[in-house]
Amino acid sequence: MLVQNGWYHGACWQLRPCRRTSCQLFCFSKTEVQRTTSSAGVRGVPEKFFFSLAAPGGKKGIILMNIMQQDILQQLEQLQQDAQTALTQTTTTEAIREWYSEYLSRKGRLTGILRNLGNLSAEERPLVGKVANEVKAVLENALQEHQSAIARAELEAIRRTESVDITLPGRPQNLGKLHVTTRALRDIYAIFTAMGFQIYDSPEVDTDEYNFQLLNMPPGHPARDMWDTFYTTTPGLLLRTHTSPGQVHAMRQYAPEPIRVILPGKCYRYEAVDASHESMFYQVEGLAVGKHITFSDLKGVLINFANQMYGQGRKARFRKSYFPFTEPSVEMDIDCVLCGGKGCPVCKNTGWLEMLGAGMVQPRVLQNGGYDPTEFSGFAFGMGPDRIALQKYGIDDIRYFFTNDARLLERV
Ligand code: PHE
């Protein structure tokens, strides 16, 4: 016999009127309960049914409700027991989540039981509701305690198995570096700007006119063979093969003022790619136009550049050459930076490295730029900063420059 909330709960296992007078309880036959419960909308006949001492014997309706109420109370009690047992068996946060969804969630068992509250009378509902809230509070408290115990245990387990040895040295961070071509370019800018040259931008996609015609190479000129390129689908528009068209752009902007500019940028050629040729590469063009500019000025500027770029005491030599847009034309070599002129694979055993092409600006090109060649003269040169970087840093293949392998940067 269990006393709860003023009600005496007892079970009568004889499904017929109870004759035990000491029991003093109201008992009903199975048929009687079946009949009355079905009319009150109670599902099924409980094998155990409960009754109240307080309920007067003749009032069937009230007693029936008491049966329902006791049924719910018993379910709540059972639920609390089940939930508490289940909770002690959960050992992980995940299992707790499952436990919560089984017992306390909106779709859980507690809500399931409370759905039947509507079947109770208005007087009974608050009582059962109160018990339900108590059960809920008890379970929630138990949950909270158990949850923090588990969290502590999990943390402890992590601490034991995944502990960090703070005395270990950190992993080194790889610092980025400038690309070797960028470094060469910046060195070149610094040297020439100190000599009074300005940096001038000119287009990478240019016209046949600027890339060839204005540089003294009309259509069909055999020198065009030296600069085979990529043509766009727009007739007359191509990827520039050298930075020299920038000479005419700069002259046309500044004529008749004297100018000293360098023109850096990418160039393109239809090349058979190998260790020293790429179809995309950098050039830096130089141009000085003014009155009384001579070949000595060109030599002076270039030797000064070579000494600053590769170190003082650099030996330079000028060989005669040919470019349609300079006259006379030369190529400048410096003694090999790697072997000091003795001969090595980099300089192909000549002791010299090719550095750039240069010359005095051809009068017709000056004219195309807007200068009167009887009054003005100028010099121009074009160098490859990729090549310079190759030589300076002893890299053996220009293709490394554009394959995005960061190990290249570790070599310099
Ligand atoms: N534009 C030439 C080249 O690409 C180099 C050059 C520039 C030569 C200026 C003379 C004067 O090879």
Side-chain angles (χ1 to χ4, degrees), residues 150-218:
I150 284 185
R152 268 198 307 278
E154 283 180 346
L155 205 68
E156 179 61 20
I158 290 173
R159 206 185 58 74
R160 246 182 286 118
T161 55
E162 297 176 20
S163 59
V164 175
D165 181 353
I166 55 163
T167 62
L168 283 176
R171 286 196 201 114
Q173 294 285 322
N174 283 334
L175 282 183
K177 268 190 200 169
L178 288 179
H179 192 279
V180 281
T181 304
T182 309
R183 286 165 68 172
L185 278 170
R186 291 192 180 178
D187 289 346
I188 294 168
Y189 299 161
I191 296 167
F192 282 104
T193 50
M195 287 192 271
F197 285 76
Q198 287 183 331
I199 302 171
Y200 187 89
D201 246 349
S202 63
E204 275 175 42
V205 182
D206 214 335
T207 58
D208 182 280
E209 189 189 14
Y210 273 90
N211 197 75
F212 294 121
Q213 295 169 42
L214 295 170
L215 295 175
N216 227 3
M217 284 179 277

Side-chain angles (χ1 to χ4, degrees), residues 194-266:
M195 287 192 271
F197 285 76
Q198 287 183 331
I199 302 171
Y200 187 89
D201 246 349
S202 63
E204 275 175 42
V205 182
D206 214 335
T207 58
D208 182 280
E209 189 189 14
Y210 273 90
N211 197 75
F212 294 121
Q213 295 169 42
L214 295 170
L215 295 175
N216 227 3
M217 284 179 277
H221 193 287
R224 285 185 175 221
D225 285 355
M226 290 198 285
W227 293 283
D228 199 1
T229 189
F230 301 99
Y231 291 84
T232 68
T233 47
T234 309
L237 206 61
L238 47 83
L239 303 190
R240 66 174 176 192
T241 57
H242 48 178
T243 42
S244 301
Q247 288 184 30
V248 188
H249 285 292
M251 285 192 279
R252 287 190 168 181
Q253 183 168 340
Y254 294 110
E257 299 298 323
I259 47 174
R260 261 177 290 175
V261 288
I262 52 170
L263 305 134
K266 288 182 200 126

Side-chain angles (χ1 to χ4, degrees), residues 274-319:
D274 63 25
S276 47
H277 295 86
E278 259 289 359
S279 49
M280 191 278 287
F281 55 95
Y282 280 83
Q283 275 197 346
V284 178
E285 190 88 3
L287 173 72
V289 179
K291 290 179 180 169
H292 319 299
I293 288 185
T294 67
F295 196 86
S296 303
D297 297 319
L298 171 63
K299 279 180 82 174
V301 164
L302 292 181
I303 290 169
N304 182 22
F305 166 73
N307 280 325
Q308 290 199 55
M309 192 71 189
Y310 296 103
Q312 293 298 321
R314 210 70 272 165
K315 268 190 255 159
R317 74 172 184 187
F318 292 85
R319 288 178 288 115

Side-chain angles (χ1 to χ4, degrees), residues 341-389:
K342 286 191 206 80
C344 70
V346 174
C347 60
K348 298 187 188 102
N349 284 319
T350 61
W352 294 98
L353 291 174
E354 251 180 58
M355 208 173 92
L356 48 80
M360 298 307 288
V361 182
Q362 220 275 345
R364 221 174 286 161
V365 177
L366 277 176
Q367 212 162 25
N368 291 338
Y371 291 91
D372 177 357
T374 59
E375 239 188 293
F376 286 88
S377 57
F379 64 77
F381 56 86
M383 63 179 83
D386 304 311
R387 284 266 170 95
I388 291 176

